[in-house]
Amino acid sequence: MVSSILGPDGRPIERATLGQEIATPTVMGVRHTLSDGVASGLTPERLAAILKSASMGNMRDYLTLAEEMEERYLHYASQVQTRRLAIEGVEISVDALPSVAPKITDAVRALVEKPGLLDAVGAMTDGIAKGLSVVELIWEYQDGLLQPVEYKWRDPRYFQFDRASMTELRLAVDGQFDGVPLPVGKFLRHLPRTKMGIPIRRGFARAAAWGFLIQSLGLKDWAAFAEVYGMPFRIGKYHPSASEKDKRTLLRAVASIANDAAAIIPAGMEIVFQEVKGSQGEAVFGGLTGYIDKSISKLVVGQTMTSDDGASLGQAKIHNEVRLDIQRADCRQICNTLNRDLIPFFVALNFGPQANYPNVDMPVAEPEDVVALTTAVKSLVPLGLKVSQREMRERIGLSEPGTDDELLAPPSSVVPLPDDITDDGEPDPAAAKRGTVKNGKGKGGGKADPTAELAGHVGGCRCGSCLRTARLAADRPTEAVDDVQDYLDEVMEGWQPLLAPMIEKLLATADSAASFDDLLDTLHGLELDGRPLAEKLAIATSIARGLGDIKD
């Protein structure tokens, strides 16, 4: 019976395989990995053979070594973890395409927000080092949709590539030299690319294996050197007439001092402790392992400034940009895998094959220089730039304040009331009698600072001018406080009588002029009475200013 479920390419999909586990471990055979071990006793010849065999399709030992390297080489493990966690820290988003129905986009968005997919992304990052990572999808109906309910990481040693092209990932099965094809829609096959070549040669664990070997041999020799270097060099001196038995006794005494710290020797013999000076071990072995560690940092995260040492903040920022490039590339390749192996199948199984499918993305944000941003905004806002508070909060990482939150505010710059002004804004007769302040002068006769007084003209100011304005606003009915534009319309209705005398005089002068030059000479001596118009404009300006003060 042919399945009625169609994949994104329109071909039927076996429904029975969607909910079954396929790449399961076995007690014996090709999918048995519990007893594998390669790193112990590794030699350059053995490593070369492992890498060559992996390139030919026998990648089991190579994948085992790649896993053991993360357990034995601590610096390599920390760098791999740094790169993997940088990917897991990026949120997954869904691009809403105009050609895709909104219900499909919403369903995909709900799928990627589930914790299971986030764990699957973390499992997929394992392939960056090894060259491949596989996650098996267990499909079930949930919330009315056929979707993965479990994402199970599978050991990469359960799989192999086809022997011809070494590019098609297949399931390893006992008795099948070339394995068996993977069912469609069942696996997330992440084959990241850190370099060109067949997939098994793309992971950086292949290059790091040589660093691991050199570091392991160097640490072994350094430990042996430290064991000898930690003890002083012991010399036993015997008398020329000493017998062979006495010599053997002295040799045993010298050898046992390192462990027992006590010995007996015949009379006439002595033991001399020769001190070893210098730091040959630190200079040779320490320099070698330090060089290997820095090379591993460059290989895995692309820099050493933030992983090993740093000279300055500026250099660290430059090196961090290299890490951002690597992070963006890793996220893009993760999204390519999801857009190929998950999203089209999820949509096709629930909504049928589509011409276009939603795409998931993992955008890596640029690190924000908060100091530079706030400095620029502080300088540009007084010049008229309008900046959204919501955008500024998002960019500097501040949340929207709640209704009950205590808010930060600039310190109050309210200027105290002058001594000759009462709380209601009227002159204080008592202050005038005391002679403390009179006509803006203090006891010393100095003038008041107008800058300090104007600085207090903010909301809540209680200086004399602001209090009088507030009192006038309170006494005036609210409906009488019209908009300034309304008052402007009222003023503009009576300007013609004020301009008519001046216009008539100008027209009469122009009519009587014999030429243009004659008109210019006459205009220089022409006297026009503009006092009524100026008075009208001054009154209008004062009233408009008063209306604005009252409303503010």
Side-chain angles (χ1 to χ4, degrees):
M1 179 178 178
V2 180
S3 171
S4 60
I5 301 180
L6 302 180
D9 56 357
R11 298 181 180 180
I13 295 180
E14 292 293 336
R15 175 181 291 185
T17 62
L18 293 178
Q20 297 178 355
E21 295 189 36
I22 297 177
T24 56
T26 57
V27 178
M28 301 295 292
V30 293
R31 295 207 295 271
H32 171 69
T33 59
L34 297 179
S35 60
D36 286 359
V38 177
S40 297
L42 186 65
T43 62
E45 294 78 12
R46 173 62 174 152
L47 177 58
I50 290 175
L51 298 181
K52 182 178 180 180
S53 180
S55 301
M56 300 174 61
N58 302 316
M59 55 187 188
R60 186 183 186 91
D61 288 343
Y62 164 70
L63 295 174
T64 301
L65 176 62
E67 182 175 349
E68 289 184 297
M69 285 165 52
E70 296 186 33
E71 299 174 352
R72 295 177 175 232
Y73 190 1
L74 301 184
H75 183 77
Y76 173 75
S78 69
Q79 298 304 291
V80 173
Q81 184 184 44
T82 298
R83 182 160 173 177
R84 294 181 61 178
L85 293 181
I87 302 173
E88 295 190 52
V90 181
E91 295 184 359
I92 304 177
S93 62
V94 179
D95 296 333
L97 303 178
S99 57
V100 178
K103 65 177 182 179
I104 296 179
T105 303
D106 293 340
V108 173
R109 189 172 287 115
L111 175 68
V112 301
E113 291 176 353
K114 294 188 176 181
L117 182 59
L118 301 180
D119 293 338
V121 170
M124 292 165 63
T125 60
D126 183 55
I128 300 176
K130 300 175 182 176
L132 75 152
S133 181
V134 184
V135 177
E136 185 171 356
L137 309 177
I138 309 300
W139 296 78
E140 296 290 346
Y141 276 99
Q142 189 177 80
D143 299 330
L145 296 174
L146 184 59
Q147 57 185 302
V149 294
E150 288 186 85
Y151 298 84
K152 294 194 173 184
W153 173 81
R154 295 306 187 188
D155 196 308
R157 290 170 289 186
Y158 298 172
F159 304 87
Q160 64 182 73
F161 289 99
D162 67 292
R163 302 288 176 163
S165 65
M166 290 294 293
T167 57
E168 180 189 352
L169 192 64
R170 304 167 71 90
L171 180 65
V173 177
D174 291 320
Q176 297 285 343
F177 176 75
D178 213 21
V180 298
L182 297 178
V184 294
K186 275 292 294 178
F187 295 93
L188 299 177
R189 298 160 294 134
H190 188 51
L191 308 176
R193 173 181 49 81
T194 58
K195 61 178 288 293
M196 299 307 298
I198 58 177
I200 195 59
R201 298 180 69 115
R202 294 177 187 172
F204 55 72
R206 186 179 180 91
W210 291 106
F212 166 73
L213 175 63
I214 297 174
Q215 191 262 0
S216 299
L217 297 178
L219 284 181
K220 180 180 178 181
D221 294 339
W222 196 357
F225 174 83
E227 183 178 2
V228 175
Y229 179 75
M231 290 291 181
F233 189 67
R234 304 170 299 280
I235 301 177
K237 296 182 179 181
Y238 57 88
H239 195 272
S241 61
S243 63
E244 290 297 326
K245 180 179 179 181
D246 295 335
K247 295 179 182 179
R248 288 193 296 268
T249 301
L250 178 61
L251 180 61
R252 286 196 301 270
V254 171
S256 63
I257 284 179
N259 298 323
D260 300 335
I264 57 174
I265 57 176
M269 297 183 179
E270 61 177 327
I271 298 177
V272 179
F273 294 92
Q274 185 69 35
E275 181 180 0
V276 180
K277 298 182 179 180
S279 56
Q280 298 92 337
E282 177 68 24
V284 177
F285 299 106
L288 176 62
T289 56
Y291 170 78
I292 296 299
D293 287 346
K294 291 183 178 180
S295 299
I296 290 296
S297 297
K298 295 176 184 178
L299 173 68
V300 179
V301 298
Q303 50 89 17
T304 62
M305 190 63 65
T306 59
S307 57
D308 295 298
D309 53 15
S312 67
L313 178 60
Q315 292 180 359
K317 288 183 177 179
I318 294 175
H319 281 259
N320 193 55
E321 293 297 327
V322 180
R323 293 186 58 181
L324 285 176
D325 292 341
I326 296 176
Q327 185 182 6
R328 291 191 186 99
D330 290 340
C331 291
R332 183 176 62 251
Q333 294 181 36
I334 290 284
C335 292
N336 290 340
T337 299
L338 296 177
N339 291 325
R340 181 197 65 207
D341 293 342
L342 176 62
I343 305 302
F345 287 94
F346 169 74
V347 174
L349 293 177
N350 292 281
F351 304 97
Q354 306 290 320
N356 296 294
Y357 296 90
N359 291 324
V360 298
D361 190 18
M362 299 176 67
V364 179
E366 291 283 349
E368 192 69 69
D369 190 342
V370 177
V371 176
L373 175 64
T374 54
T375 302
V377 172
K378 181 181 179 181
S379 302
L380 295 176
V381 166
L383 299 179
L385 178 68
K386 297 181 179 180
V387 181
S388 169
Q389 289 189 11
R390 178 185 57 81
E391 181 182 359
M392 284 297 298
R393 287 193 180 96
E394 290 177 353
R395 296 187 64 174
I396 65 179
L398 297 178
S399 61
E400 189 76 20
T403 55
D404 299 332
D405 291 342
E406 183 178 357
L407 303 181
L408 295 176
S412 176
S413 58
V414 176
V415 179
L417 281 174
D419 294 338
D420 61 342
I421 300 298
T422 61
D423 291 341
D424 59 357
E426 298 297 335
D428 185 3
K433 292 180 179 180
R434 293 192 302 267
T436 54
V437 177
K438 186 177 181 180
N439 296 329
K441 297 183 179 180
K443 292 181 179 180
K447 294 183 179 181
D449 185 5
T451 304
E453 182 178 353
L454 291 176
H457 287 262
V458 294
C461 178
R462 295 179 57 81
C463 71
S465 300
C466 292
L467 284 175
R468 281 192 288 270
T469 302
R471 183 167 56 83
L472 290 173
D475 295 341
R476 181 177 178 135
T478 305
E479 59 272 11
V481 185
D482 300 326
D483 188 74
V484 175
Q485 183 62 42
D486 296 337
Y487 178 70
L488 178 61
D489 296 338
E490 178 184 346
V491 173
M492 294 300 292
E493 293 178 358
W495 65 272
Q496 293 88 348
L498 301 175
L499 287 177
M502 292 186 290
I503 294 177
E504 291 176 0
K505 196 170 185 177
L506 285 173
L507 294 177
T509 303
D511 292 340
S512 62
S515 64
F516 182 73
D517 294 335
D518 185 22
L519 175 60
L520 290 178
D521 294 338
T522 305
L523 289 177
H524 284 302
L526 185 63
E527 294 184 1
L528 300 176
D529 187 9
R531 288 177 296 177
L533 179 62
E535 183 179 354
K536 182 76 172 180
L537 292 176
I539 295 174
T541 302
S542 299
I543 294 177
R545 175 61 183 270
L547 291 175
D549 290 343
I550 291 174
K551 296 189 68 175
D552 293 340

